[in-house]
Amino acid sequence: MLQVPQLRRLLRPRTAEGTAVLTVLTVLAVAMIAMAFAPVDDRPLVGGLLIGAAALAIAALLLALRLRRAAAHASWPPLPPAAAEPPGPWFTADSLADYPAEELAALVATLDEPPSPHQLEAAWVSATHGRDVVWLEHHFGLPGPIARTLVAAARRRIPAG
């Protein structure tokens, strides 16, 4: 059996789309009645006033909907803080086969701000899936020599299977 709050919600749904449709229909009905009863000489003035009133009503409705949506988002719980480094390896031994660890270690040692091991592994897997040097530089923020090393090693890699 339906509880009282559920029954009220079914009888009076409050959706943004329903509110907008009812507002538009009400404004149109008032406009038609006003135009029908207005003297012929005053109809352009009445029409202009009705257009202004309709624009004002729509603007007020949109503002109310935006405020309601903002209030709903404000009540959401905050996201948990992201971990500095995810625990454990991201990829399996198969996906990291032929990974050029020694070559990369020599290149990474020369950098002031080296990329993380997880970032290098993700770039390696992307390189083995056909991504080029420019793509790796752009998406992972890798220096050119590291991206070129990864792509060259990926191209030398013998596909499994």
Side-chain angles (χ1 to χ4, degrees), residues 138-156:
H138 176 73
H139 286 85
F140 290 102
L142 297 176
I146 291 179
R148 283 190 290 279
T149 301
L150 288 170
V151 170
R155 289 184 180 155
R156 288 191 309 261

Side-chain angles (χ1 to χ4, degrees), residues 120-141:
L120 291 173
E121 291 171 358
W124 165 252
V125 171
S126 297
T128 61
H129 284 92
R131 299 298 183 180
D132 63 357
V133 173
V134 174
W135 194 92
L136 294 177
E137 289 173 342
H138 176 73
H139 286 85
F140 290 102

Side-chain angles (χ1 to χ4, degrees), residues 34-50:
M35 290 298 283
F37 287 109
V40 176
D41 294 340
D42 293 336
R43 284 188 181 168
L45 176 65
V46 171
L49 289 174
L50 289 173

